[in-house]
Amino acid sequence: MATNVTTTVYRNFINGEWQESESAEQITVINPADTSLPVGQIQSSTTADLEAAVEAADAARKEWRSLSGAARGEFLYRAAAVMEERTEEIAATATKEMGKTLPEARGETQRGIAILKYYAAEGMRKTGDVIPSTDPGAFMYTSRVPLGVVGVIAPWNFPVAIPIWKIAPALVYGNTIVCKPASETAITAIKIIECFEAAGFPKGVINLVTGAGSVIGKGLAEHPKVNGITFTGSNNVGKGIGLAALERGAKYQLEMGGKNPVIIAADADIEQAVDATISGAFRSTGQKCTATSRVIVEAPIYDAFRDRLIEKTKEITIGNSLEKDVWLGPIASKAQLENCLHYIQKGMEEGAKLILGGEQLTDGDYAKGFYVQPTIFEDVTNDMVIAQEEIFGPVIALIKVDSEEQAIDVANDVKFGLSASIFTKNIGRFLQFVEDMEAGLVRVNAESAGVELQAPFGGMKQSSSHSREQGEAAKEFFTSIKTVFVKG
Ligand SMILES: NC(=O)C1=CN([C@@H]2O[C@H](COP(=O)(O)OP(=O)(O)OC[C@H]3O[C@@H](n4cnc5c(N)ncnc54)[C@H](O)[C@@H]3O)[C@@H](O)[C@H]2O)C=CC1
Ligand SMILES: O=C(O)CCC(=O)C(=O)O
């Protein structure tokens, strides 16, 4: 993007040094709230830059894995302490880069710090089991070893938490990493890496290369010296990464889309359900893989729920997320805005009834950014595209159902299975929902979004590679088990 505003140029972090790309080209990172204020410039890196980063990570791995888990954990504690001091700066950068509100970005940064501390402590937890051998003279146990070099490919929607929930466990279990952040939020990632640098990690243990996903991301997935790849992002890209990793025998972990339902049962507390639906669907401008996208409402409560939902959605304030009273910020990029508007148009063409919003905002200051109204459709049927595909914007599809069975059938009738929730006071009803719902994260009387760092997170069906991230589950991905048999 051409601009007259002077911006800081950020560099790659390779082998402990901040380096320019050999391309000598940069990518301008824009502010989706006001595109006249670029956030900075990042390197448009080449495969030669990536090669240098992978070589550095490969060279560092022997020494890093030879440290005790406790010693590795100490580095993470130090990174957390630096990040604590820089919370405001990191949060503001995340807000400027992708448009979530400042309180949300601050909360996410604090979550990043908590994740660092959680995995720092993990360095002192058990790494294996003793398993009785059938041979009474033998001792059998398991131990875990790091994968080696791990490629971290991160999206823009959680620019702090997602890179950290991948990087922190990778490091504490003894891997070295090459991180490729989304270009939209690469400066936030760079500021996080600065915290790791300040914590004194040995050179080569952590590397970051910015640039096109089709060059750097793809290059990481295909690189013979990258032993594991952890990815969050779109379905198409994820599948390509999985295939590339499978082809060369590397371990991979994919966290992809969602089309998350919330069921509003006839006995639901309407006020609670409306608040949670608004928060689940519209926070972060709907750009969460766990966002509420389909709202399945039982007929007896439908009108009352819909009317209250419209009433409360109308109260939402939209604007530049750095401003204090703004609840809903812009969409993160022009491409995402166009994607969202395309789905709104598609919904209307397919016969869904637009009952609120649906417009891009272009008056006054809105013209400088990528703003769209929170949008609600009703009369949505399950065969419509807006009931099937991930929109990743502030759009709700209301679906009226006549029975509990129909509610579950509709909820499960998508290719995704990431998160789902139900609002009901009936114990039998929610237990049945927990049993029947095809989703990795199932929530009762709570919004569909909301991930806790100490619990496993991941999806069923096409939402993930069936692996789980976070909590103890991270150990499964970032290590390999060795079964050891010792005979005296
Ligand atoms: N599950 C989630 O949390 C996310 C889902 N999405 C979904 O994806 C849609 C598109 O968003 P994008 O930012 O374009 O997602 P994306 O999947 O293209 O980007 C995610 C990451 O993958 C990298 N990448 C892109 N192409 C690659 C390739 N060929 N090989 C390896 N890495 C590659 C990107 O540079 C970025 O770091 C969204 O509308 C949403 O539906 C996007 C971001 C996060
Ligand atoms: O809801 C959350 O906190 C995490 C969601 C997530 O992983 C994502 O949107 O990519």
Side-chain angles (χ1 to χ4, degrees):
M1 194 187 100
T3 171
N4 297 324
V5 181
T6 312
T7 56
T8 307
V9 177
Y10 293 88
R11 289 170 290 169
N12 292 327
F13 191 64
I14 300 174
N15 206 24
E17 284 172 13
W18 293 99
Q19 301 182 9
E20 274 174 22
S21 164
E22 58 112 43
S23 76
E25 285 174 15
Q26 280 104 37
I27 300 167
T28 300
V29 179
I30 57 144
N31 177 342
D34 183 345
T35 56
S36 67
L37 297 173
V39 191
Q41 288 182 292
I42 56 164
Q43 303 299 311
S44 177
S45 306
T46 65
T47 47
D49 302 317
L50 177 64
E51 196 57 40
V54 174
E55 284 302 331
D58 190 47
R61 70 186 188 147
K62 204 165 166 194
E63 192 186 323
W64 181 244
R65 69 179 281 172
S66 72
L67 296 181
S68 68
R72 289 192 296 262
E74 278 304 317
F75 285 99
L76 292 184
Y77 278 124
R78 288 208 288 274
V82 180
M83 223 174 126
E84 253 160 357
E85 283 165 20
R86 295 184 60 180
T87 299
E88 281 307 304
E89 177 198 351
I90 292 170
T93 307
T95 291
K96 284 183 205 157
E97 284 192 304
M98 67 74 62
K100 70 173 65 176
T101 62
L102 197 49
E104 283 180 276
R106 203 175 277 137
E108 190 189 334
T109 308
Q110 281 155 357
R111 179 172 159 192
I113 295 163
I115 295 169
L116 283 171
K117 290 180 182 169
Y118 175 90
Y119 284 108
E122 189 64 15
M124 294 190 78
R125 297 204 183 100
K126 71 166 191 159
T127 53
D129 297 303
V130 174
I131 298 160
S133 168
T134 51
D135 181 340
F139 174 54
M140 190 161 67
Y141 67 97
T142 60
S143 94
R144 286 179 181 267
V145 291
L147 303 180
V149 177
V150 168
V152 172
I153 304 180
W156 44 265
N157 64 330
F158 280 88
V160 180
I162 293 180
I164 292 181
W165 85 46
K166 294 175 185 297
I167 292 172
L171 292 174
V172 84
Y173 297 128
N175 303 283
T176 57
I177 61 136
V178 177
C179 176
K180 189 268 180 259
S183 298
E184 292 87 341
T185 52
I187 299 172
T188 305
I190 286 167
K191 287 180 187 280
I192 293 167
I193 298 297
E194 285 171 358
C195 298
F196 284 92
E197 182 193 20
F201 278 81
K203 66 179 188 173
V205 170
I206 297 165
N207 305 274
L208 172 134
V209 182
T210 60
S214 55
V215 179
I216 307 304
K218 189 165 178 287
L220 262 179
E222 291 174 352
H223 201 293
K225 285 190 175 168
V226 174
N227 312 94
I229 286 276
T230 171
F231 167 85
T232 300
S234 66
N235 237 251
N236 281 347
V237 170
K239 282 178 184 162
I241 288 171
L243 287 171
L246 183 70
E247 176 72 24
R248 57 185 189 81
K251 199 169 177 183
Y252 63 92
Q253 175 185 61
L254 313 172
E255 198 51 60
M256 301 175 289
K259 190 69 191 170
N260 313 299
V262 49
I263 295 176
I264 317 293
D267 70 339
D269 176 329
I270 291 192
E271 218 44 39
Q272 184 191 34
V274 164
D275 287 346
T277 300
I278 288 175
S279 178
F282 299 142
R283 283 256 180 228
S284 281
T285 323
Q287 301 166 118
K288 295 183 188 179
C289 59
T290 48
T292 303
S293 178
R294 297 175 298 141
V295 184
I296 301 164
V297 192
E298 290 181 4
I301 204 175
Y302 184 86
D303 288 352
F305 175 85
R306 178 203 51 204
D307 294 349
R308 192 71 180 125
L309 181 67
I310 292 175
E311 201 175 24
K312 287 198 124 177
T313 303
K314 282 182 180 164
E315 291 169 10
I316 289 176
T317 47
I318 309 170
N320 186 329
S321 343
L322 283 175
E323 285 165 19
K324 214 163 137 247
D325 294 322
V326 165
W327 193 93
L328 186 87
I331 286 192
S333 66
K334 189 159 188 282
Q336 289 299 130
L337 173 71
E338 282 166 1
N339 186 56
C340 181
L341 293 173
H342 156 81
Y343 279 113
I344 292 172
Q345 181 63 30
K346 190 82 190 156
M348 292 190 288
E349 283 165 15
E350 286 188 320
K353 186 169 158 199
L354 183 67
I355 53 173
L356 194 72
E359 298 280 330
Q360 181 183 354
L361 295 170
T362 51
D363 287 350
D365 282 348
Y366 289 131
K368 295 182 189 165
F370 308 129
Y371 295 95
V372 71
Q373 294 170 322
T375 297
I376 305 176
F377 280 104
E378 72 172 350
D379 293 343
V380 176
T381 54
N382 229 26
D383 54 344
M384 291 179 185
V385 169
I386 59 163
Q388 291 294 324
E389 293 183 11
E390 181 171 54
I391 298 177
F392 234 58
V395 181
I396 285 176
L398 284 177
I399 303 174
K400 196 198 284 190
V401 291
D402 293 319
S403 66
E404 294 181 25
E405 293 72 27
Q406 193 190 357
I408 277 286
D409 287 348
V410 169
N412 278 331
D413 185 19
V414 287
K415 66 182 179 187
F416 298 109
L418 189 56
S419 70
S421 72
I422 190 168
F423 284 81
T424 180
K425 299 189 195 85
N426 183 318
I427 294 176
R429 180 78 197 273
F430 81 62
L431 289 176
Q432 196 62 49
F433 169 78
V434 169
E435 181 65 24
D436 294 342
M437 191 64 227
E438 295 161 357
L441 179 65
V442 178
R443 293 164 59 87
V444 178
N445 295 324
E447 65 175 85
S448 63
V451 169
E452 298 214 24
L453 64 99
Q454 70 281 23
F457 173 57
M460 294 183 179
K461 302 198 278 192
Q462 295 198 30
S463 286
S464 87
S465 53
H466 306 280
S467 44
R468 294 290 180 266
E469 298 189 272
Q470 304 199 68
E472 285 182 26
K475 197 189 288 181
E476 298 306 324
F477 179 72
F478 290 106
T479 62
S480 281
I481 294 179
K482 263 187 192 167
T483 302
V484 185
F485 179 89
V486 186
K487 181 94 172 134

